[in-house]
Amino acid sequence: MNELTQQRLDALLQANSMTPDRLDQTTLSQMFLAQMRVALYGGVSSIPVLPTFLKPFGTLHEGTPVAVAEIDDREVRVSLVTFSGGRAEVTDADRFPVPGREYPAPLADLLFAVAELAQPLLDRAKALALCLPFPIDYDWQGDGAIRSFPGTMTVSDFAQTPVLAALREEWKSRNVTPPPMTLVSLPAAVQLAAGALHPGQKRYVSLTWGSVFDLGFTAPGSIVVRQAGTPPALTPFACGFGHAQCVPFGLVDLIQDRDSYAPGQDLLLKMLSTEHLGDVYRLTMIKASERKLLTFGGSRDILSMRRLDLATMTEFLADPQNGGTLAHYFREGEDRTVALAVADAVLDRAARLACAALATVLQFIGAGQDPEAPVCVALHGEAFSCPPLMQAFQTRVQTELAQRGLHLTLWQGENTPAVGAAAAALYAL
């Protein structure tokens, strides 16, 4: 790449907040931390910090099957989870496309799907766990209402509706008496799964990164100042960083936000979600075309695209010369060089933002400062099954977080939401 092209590329990345001077980790953490404290003190905050009032540890009753239902923005899944010898066996899995994604649906339709899939498991299950990735306002009695759904879904009649109470009505309409039910937030489930399957660590934190971006940690319930009389016992918290608005937006992000659902909301999510990263890259390459960084052919081809997913971008990074659509678009060597540099910058920015959120939580709970007691960070989500994105994240953990004196280990397991949700249900028995 010649000097002039490099200067133009640097200016492009800087205008789109993809350079280190636009992503100062300390500043980002301070802004995130302020929003967390505002949330706990009852103010208006774009980062919800929600107590789950679940037990973070307890007895994993061996041989006691738990029916687990998981809902996300793509499907409803059920399985039967049984613990034995420190392992979790997940069987009888079934799934169905989630109502509310391809067409508008009321909450009752989602719970109908849960009951339809889970009912065949109830003759064996001693408990039932419902695991949700959506922000939940718990009522201290084991139930809670969903605060919001992601922009990929259109769901009605959920506001201030206790989810388990509504599910009990569905069971009642079927003349079915369900076993004890537990409502589990996804960040808490991932954290509890790490504790159950990877025991012996000093502290656990969860990081969920896919179509949602959340962190989970354990702290005394008494830190919630906005709710007088909150039980002081340790409880897992769900921290919805994806909703953050205090983010270093660039020109491309303004376009992305303007043309997506709910402009002005979920700003961090629109910068690093696996649902949006492909389009962030596409829009940045269009800006590269406007700045004369691409040949006529490369500009014409990228301008013809109306949607780009992360899988297509990953395919190109794995094989720049033969890797699918983008390799065909960027056939010229100069186009390919720019395209690869922009892709690296897009993924690196996402990793930096994720690490800033993780560092904020570690700072908030005072963990990870002792090299002899590193924090176990449980990872879950599509981001961590995307090799270049996972590599960018690991690199930033090993550099920026290490430079800040934070010590942690990364852990991934199989079926972590189901396993963690089952553990929560067993702890509640």
Side-chain angles (χ1 to χ4, degrees), residues 203 205-207 358 362 375-379 408-412:
R203 299 289 290 273
V205 166
S206 66
L207 173 56
L358 177 56
L362 296 181
V375 177
C376 175
V377 180
L379 306 178
L408 54 97
T409 60
L410 304 178
W411 177 86
Q412 286 181 277

Side-chain angles (χ1 to χ4, degrees), residues 223-234:
I223 68 172
V224 186
V225 181
R226 64 182 172 85
Q227 295 179 356
T230 302
L234 286 174

Side-chain angles (χ1 to χ4, degrees), residues 56-69:
F57 38 73
T59 302
L60 289 173
H61 304 278
E62 294 205 351
T64 302
V66 177
V68 177

Side-chain angles (χ1 to χ4, degrees), residues 46-242:
S46 65
I47 301 179
V49 184
L50 304 173
T52 66
F53 305 113
L54 297 169
K55 294 181 179 179
F57 38 73
T59 302
L60 289 173
H61 304 278
E62 294 205 351
T64 302
V66 177
V68 177
E70 305 169 60
I71 302 178
D72 61 24
D73 64 341
R74 294 182 181 176
E75 60 186 12
V76 179
R77 297 180 296 276
V78 298
S79 58
L80 199 66
V81 180
T82 308
F83 290 91
S84 178
R87 299 171 63 89
E89 182 181 12
V90 180
T91 60
D92 297 85
D94 200 358
R95 60 188 63 203
F96 186 81
V98 68
R101 183 178 177 98
E102 299 298 330
Y103 54 89
L107 176 64
D109 283 8
L110 278 70
L111 299 181
F112 176 89
V114 168
E116 190 73 12
L117 292 174
Q119 188 166 340
L121 307 179
L122 297 189
D123 60 340
R124 289 166 286 167
K126 304 302 180 184
L128 187 149
L130 178 59
C131 182
L132 303 178
F134 321 119
I136 302 170
D137 288 307
Y138 281 82
D139 61 9
W140 306 355
Q141 297 178 358
D143 207 343
I146 296 171
R147 178 177 290 194
S148 64
F149 281 86
T152 51
M153 299 181 70
T154 304
V155 180
S156 60
D157 302 331
F158 66 88
Q160 300 181 345
T161 300
V163 177
L164 294 185
L167 184 55
R168 288 191 184 93
E169 289 299 315
E170 176 62 36
W171 292 124
K172 185 177 179 180
S173 72
R174 296 166 177 260
N175 294 318
V176 171
T177 301
M181 296 191 295
T182 305
L183 182 62
V184 187
S185 178
L186 177 61
V190 175
Q191 184 184 3
L192 294 179
L197 299 181
H198 189 54
Q201 308 304 301
K202 296 294 184 180
R203 299 289 290 273
Y204 295 91
V205 166
S206 66
L207 173 56
T208 300
W209 184 5
S211 59
V212 298
F213 183 74
D214 299 308
L215 285 102
F217 62 91
T218 298
S222 56
I223 68 172
V224 186
V225 181
R226 64 182 172 85
Q227 295 179 356
T230 302
L234 286 174
T235 183
F237 280 77
C239 198
F241 271 87

Side-chain angles (χ1 to χ4, degrees), residues 282-295:
R282 176 180 65 86
L283 292 170
T284 309
M285 289 303 296
I286 289 176
K287 289 297 181 183
S289 170
E290 294 174 357
R291 292 176 180 243
K292 310 300 183 184
L293 283 165
L294 302 178
T295 63

